[in-house]
Amino acid sequence: MAATANTKNCILVLEHDAEAMLCSAEKLNQQEYIVCKCGGSIEQVRSAYRQYPHSVLIADVDNDITVALLNELVLCPESSQLPVICCSDVLDDAAFSRVGSFQPFAWLPSSCPINVVDCTVCSACSYSRMGAHSTAAIEQCQLIAHNIPECVVILDEAWRVYFANEHLGQLVGASDPLEGCHVNTLLDAETLVRLQAVCSTLSVNSKQSFQGYIVTFQDEMVPVWLSVSKVASNNNLLCVMTNLEENLQAEAALREAEAKYRALYLNAAEGMFRIEESGHIIEANPAFNRILGFEVLDWASNSTSHNFSDQFVTTDDFLTLMKQVQTVGRQSKFNAQLVRRDGALIWGEISAHWSIDPKNQIPYVEGILSDVTERRRVELDLQRRATRDCLTGVFSRGSFYEKLSSILATARYENSIFAVLYLDLNDFKNVNDTHGHHCGDIVIKELVGRISAQIRERDVFGRIGGDEFCIVLENVRAACDVDAVIRKIHSVVDAPIRINDEKLVSVGLSVGVAMYPEDGDTPEVLLQRADHAMYLEKRS
């Protein structure tokens, strides 16, 4: 029988038996076994066995030193795992009595044929291998038992503890191992009677469970849930005990946490919601209802189906939100305009994430809705103040310049024509000096309103200075179209302006024009040409 590199079946031979066993050992060595001379002491034998766990020891019991070593081996943990083949010149009662209580794996005469020795050694190595696997399996089961949160105990036929994991020892407060203790030291009398009754009806591979009590070493009663089953190979009992006191405490803590969450959920200022992929509202808190103008507090019991997408002014906003949530898993601070149940428009800020119901594996989206209408109004107002002239509402100087640059880029791409008008009010200084700056502001606002009515909504109107303005007329066909607009502007500006019941004032207007691309192809050049044309008209 050949031994592979993975198995490494090994024959251990004692030094003082080497001469007697050398012939057989050399023959077995030719059969590709590993032959190891392991000295003459029990420590050396144990060391060799640890090096070669799938081993067999061949011992010459005609040697007194070997017999003494075998008697020492009985007291070692390896005695049940290391198979020993005893050899003697004569196999008789005298040879058998030499080893005393030691139980060898097999007996062979010293002059045994090599094929018989080979067969016996092969069987012994298989036994050793099975023992190693069994030991590994037991160690693995014990490791599992020590690492699960439940208390695990195995009871033998005498109702004594054969094995107990550390959790049971910790629960009962034991400082020493529980192995060997009678079960009546761990269970109260009623639980023990119940366990014995269950055991009498228990079959192999079946399991029964019931509630009972463990008694700690401090005489405290701990409620446990016992799951009892029989070990298949013998009548031992496996008991797995779950600490119900910890479970009750955990359940109480969970209920307390759920109550706190529920209170936060019901009293939160932000709207909390849960919706299906389609947008159907599954659940929402009172703040969500309040923001959107609904009176229903319990969506689950509401017979009317409502879809969150119906609350979006633009359906594309809802689709964009859902796509982002489905792709990335979440979306934070998504702003969209929403419509309340009464038709009023509001701005909402939504943070949502993707989730899956653990029970039925149905996906859903849950999130938070905040009403940011006032904040949005302030932001838009600040934006308007930053880009608009505070008196007239037309674009400020900087914003107008940005608009002009953008229009110029578009015109280059589309090969289109536009005009820049530079407007300056005549005699406006006289209005301020005569009637005061307050009246001057009234005149400015009135004239801007009149001029705005004569141009298209897409045309850009900006205030460049105190009484200087610019207008960009986009996509004009010819200079005559620009002249028509200028004539209309002159007609409304020349009309008198009533400051109050007693005062009427009139101001004139000078207008200069620059055409793109004829008069320039940069914002600076176009404004300079229009400004120059305006001064030429003013002087004339």
Side-chain angles (χ1 to χ4, degrees):
M1 175 182 175
T4 66
N6 292 329
T7 56
K8 292 185 178 179
N9 293 325
C10 181
I11 298 173
L12 305 181
V13 180
L14 299 170
E15 292 286 352
H16 45 260
D17 289 346
E19 183 177 353
M21 306 306 304
L22 190 58
C23 180
S24 297
E26 287 180 348
K27 290 180 180 179
L28 289 171
N29 196 25
Q30 294 173 4
Q31 302 295 323
E32 299 183 17
Y33 285 94
I34 299 172
V35 178
C36 174
K37 295 180 182 179
C38 59
S41 67
I42 191 65
E43 290 77 13
Q44 291 171 314
V45 172
R46 295 178 67 184
S47 176
Y49 179 65
R50 284 193 293 270
Q51 184 179 359
Y52 301 105
H54 308 306
S55 306
V56 56
L57 175 66
I58 298 182
D60 181 12
V61 297
D62 292 335
N63 189 315
D64 293 338
I65 299 176
T66 300
V67 172
L69 186 142
L70 293 180
N71 290 326
E72 288 185 64
L73 185 62
V74 174
L75 304 176
C76 298
E78 291 82 4
S79 62
S80 62
Q81 301 171 16
L82 174 61
V84 178
I85 298 175
C86 290
C87 299
S88 178
D89 290 337
V90 179
L91 298 182
D92 55 11
D93 291 341
F96 299 151
S97 63
R98 288 194 197 102
V99 298
S101 60
F102 185 81
Q103 297 293 325
F105 177 82
W107 285 88
L108 290 176
S110 301
S111 59
C112 185
I114 190 59
N115 61 332
V116 175
V117 177
D118 183 34
C119 182
T120 305
V121 170
C122 178
S123 299
C125 288
S126 298
Y127 173 83
S128 177
R129 190 177 303 279
M130 290 177 59
H133 287 317
S134 176
T135 301
I138 292 173
E139 290 176 352
Q140 187 176 23
C141 290
Q142 290 177 342
L143 180 64
I144 294 172
H146 282 302
N147 285 278
I148 62 175
E150 288 80 9
C151 299
V152 178
V153 61
I154 298 178
L155 303 175
D156 61 20
E157 293 183 88
W159 297 92
R160 295 188 177 277
V161 176
Y162 174 75
F163 167 80
N165 68 353
E166 59 185 14
H167 298 295
L168 180 61
Q170 292 171 357
L171 180 61
V172 300
S175 57
D176 298 322
L178 295 173
E179 280 75 11
C181 296
H182 196 276
V183 69
N184 61 11
T185 62
L186 302 176
L187 303 178
D188 76 312
E190 185 177 344
T191 303
L192 180 58
V193 171
R194 182 76 181 275
L195 178 63
Q196 292 170 338
V198 166
C199 181
S200 64
T201 61
L202 201 63
S203 59
V204 176
N205 297 326
S206 65
K207 181 179 72 173
Q208 290 194 35
S209 302
F210 62 93
Q211 185 175 342
Y213 289 91
I214 284 180
V215 181
T216 70
F217 283 21
Q218 292 76 34
D219 291 330
E220 296 177 350
M221 304 277 285
V222 179
V224 292
W225 184 258
L226 290 87
S227 294
V228 185
S229 56
K230 274 192 176 182
V231 180
S233 59
N234 50 48
N235 290 324
N236 289 358
L237 284 180
L238 171 64
C239 301
V240 178
M241 294 175 278
T242 303
N243 189 342
L244 294 181
E245 190 171 63
E246 291 182 353
N247 286 1
L248 293 174
Q249 292 173 354
E251 289 176 2
L254 179 60
R255 285 194 298 270
E256 182 180 357
E258 287 177 346
K260 290 181 179 178
Y261 169 77
R262 193 66 184 172
L264 291 173
Y265 176 79
L266 294 174
N267 296 292
E270 293 82 9
M272 299 181 181
F273 62 88
R274 180 181 296 178
I275 61 175
E276 296 176 356
E277 287 183 275
S278 62
H280 171 70
I281 300 174
I282 303 172
E283 184 180 5
N285 71 342
F288 179 88
N289 299 317
R290 184 173 61 253
I291 291 171
L292 294 179
F294 289 98
E295 298 179 356
V296 179
L297 295 181
D298 188 359
W299 291 89
S301 63
N302 183 31
S303 59
T304 306
S305 177
H306 288 279
N307 198 297
F308 193 29
S309 63
D310 295 337
Q311 310 307 131
F312 284 73
V313 173
T314 304
T315 305
D316 288 345
D317 284 344
F318 175 76
L319 297 177
T320 301
L321 170 66
M322 293 299 292
K323 182 179 180 180
Q324 182 71 9
V325 170
Q326 292 170 350
T327 304
V328 182
R330 61 179 57 251
Q331 172 64 53
S332 300
K333 298 183 178 181
F334 181 86
N335 284 267
Q337 199 167 23
L338 307 176
V339 56
R340 285 170 49 89
R341 191 180 189 185
D342 58 8
L345 299 182
I346 63 171
W347 279 95
E349 184 177 87
I350 303 165
S351 294
H353 66 269
W354 188 260
S355 190
I356 296 180
D357 191 316
K359 293 183 179 179
N360 50 31
Q361 298 300 304
I362 296 177
Y364 63 89
V365 174
E366 62 183 7
I368 296 175
L369 169 65
S370 301
D371 184 351
V372 294
T373 304
E374 181 60 24
R375 190 185 75 191
R376 186 76 174 185
R377 185 194 65 78
V378 172
E379 289 174 352
L380 292 175
D381 184 58
L382 291 173
Q383 183 180 1
R384 185 188 63 80
R385 289 174 180 270
T387 60
R388 298 279 178 167
D389 177 60
C390 60
L391 176 63
T392 62
V394 299
F395 286 105
S396 62
R397 181 186 181 91
S399 298
F400 176 83
Y401 192 88
E402 291 177 0
K403 291 288 184 180
L404 175 57
S405 299
S406 177
I407 292 170
L408 178 60
T410 303
R412 284 174 180 164
Y413 178 77
E414 297 178 349
N415 197 25
S416 59
I417 301 172
F418 67 88
V420 177
L421 279 57
Y422 207 109
L423 290 68
D424 182 75
L425 300 180
N426 300 328
D427 298 325
F428 183 70
K429 183 177 183 299
N430 185 48
V431 174
N432 279 335
D433 293 342
T434 306
H435 302 288
H437 287 280
H438 172 68
C439 292
D441 290 346
I442 294 174
V443 171
I444 288 285
K445 292 178 65 175
E446 175 65 21
L447 291 178
V448 168
R450 292 180 184 182
I451 295 171
S452 297
Q454 307 308 312
I455 60 177
R456 298 166 299 183
E457 186 175 351
R458 66 181 181 183
D459 294 330
V460 179
F461 193 2
R463 188 179 184 185
I464 305 303
D467 59 352
E468 295 180 345
F469 298 85
C470 280
I471 299 174
V472 179
L473 303 178
E474 291 191 80
N475 295 316
V476 297
R477 291 171 297 182
C480 60
D481 295 333
V482 179
D483 292 338
V485 175
I486 293 174
R487 285 195 298 272
K488 290 194 297 182
I489 292 175
H490 271 298
S491 66
V492 296
V493 172
D494 292 343
I497 300 171
R498 181 174 293 278
I499 297 176
N500 52 44
D501 294 340
E502 300 177 355
K503 295 179 183 178
L504 284 174
V505 298
S506 296
V507 295
L509 181 69
S510 297
V511 181
V513 180
M515 300 292 294
Y516 171 83
E518 179 181 346
D519 295 321
D521 61 355
T522 66
E524 294 83 2
V525 172
L526 288 169
L527 287 171
Q528 288 173 4
R529 295 286 175 83
D531 185 23
H532 182 67
M534 181 270 296
Y535 272 107
L536 291 177
E537 180 179 327
K538 185 183 286 286
R539 288 172 184 169
S540 62

